[in-house]
Amino acid sequence: MKKARMIPQSFRGIGLTVGARGLASEPQRMAMKAILALEDGSVYHGQAFGARASAGGEVCFNTSMTGYQEILTDPSYKAQIVAMTYPLIGNYGVNRIDVESWKPHVSGFVVRELSPVVSNWRADGSLADYLEQNEIPGLQGIDTRALTKKLRVRGALNGFISTEAIDEAEALRRAKEWPGLVGVDYVKEVTHREAFAWDANDEQSASFNLHRGSAEPVNPRAICDPLPAADIPIVAYDFGMKYNILRRLRQHGFRVQVVPAGTPAEEALKYKPAGIFLSNGPGDPAALGYAVRAVADLLKSGVPIFGICLGHQILGQAFGGKTFKLKFGHRGGNQPVKDLASGRVEITSQNHGFAVDPQSLPAEIAVDRINLNDQTVEGMRHKSKPVFCVQYHPEASPGPHDSTPLFAQFRETIARG
Amino acid sequence: MPKRTDIHSVLIIGAGPIVIGQACEFDYSGTQACKALREEGFRVVLVNSNPATIMTDPEFADRTYIEPIVPECVEKIIVREVAEMKRIGARGKLVLLPTLGGQTALNTAMALWRSGVLQKYDVEMIGANAQAIERGEDRQLFKEHMLRIGLDVPQSGAAHTLEESRQVAERIGRMPLIIRPAYTLGGSGGGIAYNREEFDELAKRGIDLSPVSEILIEESLIGWKEFEIEVMRDRADNCVVICSIENFDPMGIHTGDSITVAPIQTLSDKEYQIMRDASFAVIREIGVETGGSNIQFAVNPDNGRMVIIEMNPRVSRSSALASKATGFPIAKIAAKLAVGYLLDEIRNDITRETPASFEPTIDYVVVKVPRFAFEKFPQADPTLNTQMKSVGEAMAIGRTFKESLQKCLRSLEIGRSGLGGDGKPWRVGAQVYGDRDLLPRDVITRKLSVPNAERIFFIRHALRAGFTLDDIFGLTKIDRWFLAQLKEIVDFEEALAHSKQ
């Protein structure tokens, strides 16, 4: 389903309408059955929630204990069926603010147990209604630990999820038929079609904060930190960018022009940016020849560049390196990354199934951050150009804020020129 | 940074006798520390007055003193050990690790510091220094530091006249308010005011009762949600959260007497990350250089306002729970951090491959339920408040809250198989009811509205008697998410009961 898209006027309400059942205190337990089939022949039967729908996708697991709404709406999860390892999901509902794009992108959502109620002052609705409105099938009541163990041993597997009346044989057939992520360009499905200026009126970018002091707040949900002046113009390549990257860039004083993934370098440079940002995004970085070419051209221009996640993998290729598929990826909010220069360890939010091969990098590229769990590349720096990137998500959302200073580092990099 | 080479011997102070409020969790943490430090080749000197502990078994320390844990005694031990180290020609000094023996150890160490004994014999405190302990322990000092780093604390003020009292109340701006007369024995004469009339009355009485005609007025957090974060820090300033804990019972009940749950269940990621950031800000501001701290928050369920209640600059009761809940051995790691290691230099005991510089993420739910023994203390008031009354606890792990809670209730060894439905009778005062009897609504209401050891079971009785979640929330302020979970257990009990017939 492809639609031409512009940045919506107010995306906070997009993908979420509060139904009468939104905050129902009684369980909305549907007796309907759901099925998850994997390409290796395994089948899981559970209960359906969310939409009555079916979808193929790569089945992966995420270990975050909070932040399911941010995960659902992260465009990097395009074409993936996400299983949460934390068993109790939906407890605090969904709201208009904790979105990372205009709608959820996962193909399907798998949890051990969906909360029968929503209990949080920020909630606008329930997870089940949210998925239903966005036509995404949900499955609960299966042993997600067994599923995770399988994915850890076998690696990410193609699968098929359905909440419709589909039998095992059919589900298995469609799981095996699903073409897989490798070599497919999913970026073109989630990038904005047109260039646009991000949040010119400063309505969407301020950081959420909590009410303080004993006086009764007027609207505690609207409390935000003040924004600095937006004095550095940059261009951000949208490969399926999370909104919190844009919010964080704005919070650090960047004026951001967002351009579609297919924008050639000379088009981007027409905006006369002081820096270029390369976003996260879904799928296989090796399928993005056009983006690698554009970034290679941008590297020649000498403009400062900062990349995150897929942006880091594209830079890796533009440097002349290669990417490879990790066995089961890093998806969660507790990945320890060591900054080799300072020796400091950051606990990071991650979501990637591919990584840059350090052996393939030329001599002018330094690997300056590594993952302490498996020693894979988490950060790179060009030794002579103002170019750096990280494999993880300094914008967090969900996840820890340890790496927020990277946005300030981008400012400093630009200031040094 | 590898381990420090300037240390020869480490003095560890144990927790002493097991009392209500300080039980064997500090034997666990002290034993872990002794093992970890000896593993690193340090000479361990232990003092504990309680020989019925694991840590005083001969193999855990190089020297074990079974002596009273009082400053005078510990001073004599220091004198003796300094002499002994000189005799054996020790290279390196004697240091004191005060953060693993609970409040007793911390207080004793602080007394030795205040009297100048530690300075006199050049005994450094490792883990947390005296200044950090003071900042964490002194309520007023703690509050000042929290305000300095921009964190929210319960609003309060002092007053000497009714007029001043009203001004303070005006400034705080919301009821209920807690009034405490200054310098009265045990704070007697205070109370909680829910409206202006009550406030005026309590303020007048408090000023009269106080020998200095002063009262302290503080906003009440009764009914707010209570959370805890277990944090660790190393001397390169790396900070990690080991475990987040949500209390089933709202504010007003001592954490030791609360049913607690790990991880946090009802906060969105945005709120949780603000709490995580605040926890790191607290441990840094208070200045706990290495090791663990426990930081407690209250959250207003209506608008999310988050205030800092307190921090323990030491391994605490919750640390033992957090260690078992996550498999992250807090006391052991704290001991290693205290002698100079960094988190990423220590191996994770669970995976054996990855470093300790990570945040445990779990795919299960941990529930702790306190064990009370009011039958052994017939004079004691069974109402739960801010003074700890439980004598122990049970902890259970399960894939759902319901599973963990049921296992936990069964583990209490109070004869119940879970929340109910086990066919055993219920005793309420002199009355005995059958397991499946519906209890009178007034009895249920009374048992729900005042926190007590049996309240969890009365939530079952209430649900069976037709109370709604909102009714029960109104009486208990227990989060609806927990109540809905209990309702599912009760619904299942009903389904089972009906399937039999």
Side-chain angles (χ1 to χ4, degrees):
Chain A
M1 199 172 59
K2 282 187 205 171
K3 285 180 197 160
R5 252 189 325 271
M6 290 291 291
I7 184 79
Q9 285 293 310
S10 170
F11 56 75
R12 286 192 175 179
I14 299 296
L16 176 62
T17 45
V18 184
R21 290 190 293 144
L23 296 167
S25 61
E26 292 302 312
Q28 297 286 333
R29 283 288 156 89
M30 280 163 279
M32 283 211 305
K33 288 180 176 161
I35 190 167
L36 173 71
L38 303 182
E39 59 175 320
D40 73 343
S42 44
V43 178
Y44 299 84
H45 293 279
Q47 292 98 50
F49 68 99
R52 235 179 115 78
S54 305
E58 181 185 87
V59 183
C60 61
F61 61 88
N62 186 302
T63 60
S64 301
M65 295 188 286
T66 52
Y68 51 82
Q69 192 182 2
E70 291 91 331
I71 290 164
L72 291 170
T73 53
D74 177 349
S76 296
Y77 284 105
K78 183 77 192 168
Q80 288 177 318
I81 296 167
V82 177
M84 300 300 286
T85 58
Y86 187 66
L88 310 180
I89 300 293
N91 304 2
Y92 57 84
V94 294
N95 64 53
R96 288 183 176 81
I97 295 165
D98 298 352
V99 291
E100 286 306 318
S101 69
W102 61 97
K103 67 161 195 170
H105 296 277
V106 301
S107 298
F109 199 48
V110 178
V111 303
R112 172 69 175 78
E113 185 178 277
L114 178 73
S115 176
V117 293
V118 167
S119 183
N120 187 285
W121 63 284
R122 301 177 69 228
D124 290 312
S126 75
L127 174 61
D129 288 351
Y130 188 57
L131 290 183
E132 189 178 349
Q133 286 154 15
N134 289 284
E135 296 162 14
I136 293 168
L139 178 153
Q140 68 154 328
I142 68 161
D143 185 349
T144 46
R145 182 183 283 173
L147 175 64
T148 303
K149 282 184 163 175
K150 179 183 285 284
L151 296 175
R152 277 188 65 101
V153 174
R154 293 289 312 267
L157 290 167
N158 294 342
F160 180 77
I161 185 172
S162 177
T163 54
E164 296 167 303
I166 284 179
D167 64 29
E168 275 193 17
E170 170 72 0
L172 278 169
R173 189 180 63 74
R174 298 196 36 192
K176 285 171 186 158
E177 257 177 35
W178 194 73
L181 283 178
V182 176
V184 183
D185 177 6
Y186 282 102
V187 167
K188 65 179 194 291
E189 314 238 341
V190 289
T191 183
H192 287 87
R193 304 256 169 264
E194 312 276 343
F196 65 92
W198 166 256
D199 193 19
N201 300 324
D202 289 345
E203 287 164 351
Q204 328 282 4
S205 299
S207 184
F208 166 75
N209 213 328
L210 295 169
H211 167 65
R212 281 167 204 207
S214 55
E216 287 297 326
V218 180
N219 179 7
R221 296 175 53 170
I223 295 167
C224 289
D225 293 335
L227 290 169
D231 54 2
I232 298 185
I234 59 166
V235 162
Y237 268 76
D238 171 25
F239 301 116
M241 182 157 31
K242 285 170 68 188
Y243 282 165
N244 213 49
I245 294 177
L246 290 163
R247 296 183 196 115
R248 282 277 190 260
L249 287 168
R250 176 62 194 86
Q251 287 158 22
H252 285 80
F254 293 104
R255 192 168 75 242
V256 188
Q257 175 70 29
V258 180
V259 298
T263 308
E266 62 269 25
E267 287 292 317
L269 292 171
K270 277 183 191 161
Y271 291 102
K272 301 209 182 314
I276 299 276
F277 175 80
L278 307 173
S279 87
N280 67 297
D284 185 353
L288 306 171
Y290 59 91
V292 175
R293 279 190 296 281
V295 172
D297 289 345
L298 290 167
L299 279 172
K300 282 179 213 143
S301 76
V303 63
I305 302 175
F306 174 32
I308 285 177
C309 200
L310 184 63
H312 158 98
Q313 295 163 357
I314 290 169
L315 261 173
Q317 295 178 79
F319 290 151
K322 287 190 168 56
T323 56
F324 65 98
K325 195 168 195 317
L326 293 166
K327 191 174 178 189
F328 47 84
H330 302 161
R331 292 182 186 86
N334 72 335
Q335 298 276 338
V337 169
K338 186 164 185 167
D339 177 341
L340 297 175
S342 70
R344 287 287 290 271
V345 178
E346 298 161 32
I347 304 299
T348 67
S349 180
Q350 301 202 0
N351 171 25
H352 61 108
F354 294 83
V356 172
D357 175 9
Q359 303 304 323
S360 69
L361 291 169
E364 72 261 27
I365 305 306
V367 171
D368 62 356
R369 286 177 163 84
I370 56 160
N371 189 307
L372 287 176
N373 288 342
D374 62 6
Q375 318 297 315
T376 52
V377 177
E378 292 290 354
M380 297 184 289
R381 179 172 53 76
H382 197 289
K383 287 177 184 167
S384 57
K385 290 179 177 170
V387 176
F388 71 105
C389 53
V390 289
Q391 178 63 75
Y392 50 96
H393 287 269
E395 81 283 6
S397 195
H401 298 160
D402 297 12
S403 316
T404 309
L406 283 170
F407 291 97
Q409 193 183 320
F410 188 32
R411 261 190 88 98
E412 287 156 21
T413 303
I414 290 172
R416 280 198 306 268
Chain B
M1 275 178 271
K3 75 177 173 194
R4 286 172 59 172
T5 50
D6 60 333
I7 298 172
H8 180 270
S9 299
V10 183
L11 174 61
I12 293 179
I13 306 179
I18 288 174
V19 295
I20 291 179
Q22 183 166 291
C24 48
E25 59 267 19
F26 298 115
D27 185 26
Y28 166 77
S29 55
T31 306
Q32 293 249 317
C34 289
K35 274 166 74 176
L37 294 173
R38 288 195 73 190
E39 209 176 280
E40 293 301 332
F42 295 105
R43 183 167 162 274
V44 174
V45 180
L46 174 70
V47 48
N48 194 348
S49 59
N50 185 355
T53 51
I54 308 282
M55 65 161 82
T56 50
D57 284 2
E59 67 266 30
F60 286 106
D62 295 272
R63 272 233 174 133
T64 303
Y65 292 90
I66 311 278
E67 297 288 346
I69 303 176
V70 292
E72 300 73 38
C73 255
V74 180
E75 179 177 358
K76 283 183 189 156
I77 292 166
I78 289 172
V79 172
R80 202 154 174 260
E81 285 303 314
V82 169
E84 172 68 9
M85 284 167 63
K86 193 176 263 175
R87 191 185 67 77
I88 60 175
R91 290 216 282 195
K93 55 186 183 176
L94 175 68
V95 297
L96 169 60
L97 182 53
T99 51
L100 296 166
Q103 200 62 40
T104 306
L106 211 59
N107 291 348
T108 308
M110 285 305 280
L112 289 167
W113 179 75
R114 289 202 183 94
S115 63
V117 171
L118 297 184
Q119 296 88 323
K120 183 174 165 191
Y121 297 99
D122 191 26
V123 178
E124 179 193 340
M125 274 199 236
I126 59 171
N129 62 31
Q131 199 181 29
I133 296 169
E134 201 153 48
R135 283 177 189 160
E137 296 280 307
D138 181 314
R139 281 189 171 276
Q140 192 51 38
L141 206 55
F142 179 70
K143 210 165 173 172
E144 284 166 18
H145 279 276
M146 293 303 98
L147 290 171
R148 213 177 73 181
I149 55 173
L151 295 178
D152 207 351
V153 293
Q155 303 293 300
S156 63
H160 300 87
T161 64
L162 185 59
E163 194 47 42
E164 271 178 35
S165 307
R166 284 176 177 159
Q167 282 167 11
V168 173
E170 186 80 9
R171 182 168 57 73
I172 295 173
R174 58 177 280 271
M175 295 282 176
L177 290 165
I178 299 170
I179 293 105
R180 285 195 198 94
Y183 299 106
T184 62
L185 201 63
S188 66
I192 300 180
Y194 288 89
N195 55 50
R196 275 197 73 112
E197 291 74 48
E198 285 176 11
F199 177 79
D200 283 1
E201 196 179 305
L202 281 168
K204 268 189 276 188
R205 195 178 76 189
I207 293 165
D208 285 349
L209 283 171
S210 167
V212 291
S213 299
E214 181 181 285
I215 56 168
L216 295 168
I217 302 159
E218 187 169 76
E219 68 172 317
S220 163
L221 306 179
I222 281 183
W224 286 32
K225 306 210 284 189
E226 188 172 346
F227 298 92
E228 292 174 68
I229 304 274
E230 286 289 322
V231 194
M232 294 213 88
R233 184 182 185 212
D234 69 19
R235 63 179 177 145
D237 196 27
N238 294 314
C239 293
V240 290
V241 170
I242 304 308
C243 189
S244 69
I245 300 170
E246 176 160 354
N247 286 15
F248 174 94
D249 296 295
M251 286 289 294
I253 302 173
H254 192 284
T255 312
D257 287 351
S258 290
I259 296 173
T260 61
V261 184
I264 287 173
Q265 301 295 332
T266 62
L267 292 184
S268 57
D269 187 65
K270 296 282 173 289
E271 295 166 277
Y272 171 68
Q273 297 303 340
I274 291 173
M275 192 175 276
R276 182 179 179 274
D277 291 347
S279 303
F280 293 169
V282 172
I283 194 168
R284 286 176 175 139
E285 173 67 16
I286 296 306
V288 177
E289 285 165 342
T290 70
S293 286
N294 162 268
I295 301 163
Q296 297 176 16
F297 297 89
V299 170
N300 184 330
D302 297 326
N303 58 34
R305 182 179 160 216
M306 181 186 87
V307 301
I308 309 270
I309 305 303
E310 64 171 64
M311 79 104 74
N312 287 306
R314 59 174 170 86
V315 167
S316 68
R317 182 179 312 104
S318 299
S319 316
L321 179 80
S323 295
K324 296 214 163 74
T326 62
F328 191 106
I330 292 177
K332 176 182 165 180
I333 306 280
K336 296 210 173 191
L337 298 180
V339 295
Y341 281 106
L342 300 183
L343 280 164
D344 60 295
E345 293 169 342
I346 304 170
R347 206 181 54 183
N348 172 347
D349 276 358
I350 300 284
T351 63
R352 296 181 185 278
E353 286 168 9
T354 57
S357 55
F358 82 117
E359 300 201 339
T361 184
I362 55 180
D363 70 347
Y364 49 85
V365 184
V366 182
V367 175
K368 174 215 85 176
V369 179
R371 170 71 151 88
F372 297 91
F374 288 113
E375 69 279 3
K376 290 182 186 157
F377 303 99
Q379 306 296 316
D381 172 13
T383 307
L384 303 183
N385 53 33
T386 52
Q387 195 186 357
M388 184 166 155
K389 294 176 178 175
S390 64
V391 296
E393 59 197 27
M395 187 195 99
I397 292 178
R399 286 279 283 162
T400 66
F401 171 76
K402 296 182 279 280
E403 179 188 343
S404 305
L405 179 73
Q406 289 289 72
K407 282 165 82 173
C408 221
L409 293 174
R410 180 181 280 230
S411 308
L412 285 174
E413 296 188 354
I414 53 171
R416 306 263 21 148
S417 304
L419 200 56
D422 50 18
K424 293 172 184 167
W426 299 96
R427 280 170 224 285
V428 184
Q431 277 283 0
V432 177
Y433 300 93
D435 180 37
R436 301 274 305 150
D437 288 356
L438 291 182
L439 272 59
R441 289 184 75 94
D442 60 320
V443 172
I444 295 171
T445 304
R446 180 159 46 82
K447 283 287 195 176
L448 289 185
S449 50
V450 179
N452 62 80
E454 294 152 346
R455 186 156 75 166
I456 180 102
F457 300 106
F458 279 84
I459 296 173
R460 168 186 175 267
H461 297 319
L463 288 164
R464 295 196 63 241
F467 285 59
T468 64
L469 296 188
D470 283 338
D471 293 339
I472 301 170
F473 174 76
L475 292 165
T476 63
K477 299 287 183 221
I478 294 169
D479 193 281
R480 289 177 181 86
W481 186 84
F482 292 115
L483 298 177
Q485 297 289 318
L486 297 186
K487 185 170 186 308
E488 291 198 330
I489 298 176
V490 172
D491 286 349
F492 196 69
E493 181 192 332
E494 297 306 302
L496 282 177
H498 286 101
S499 70
K500 250 186 270 173
Q501 293 158 8

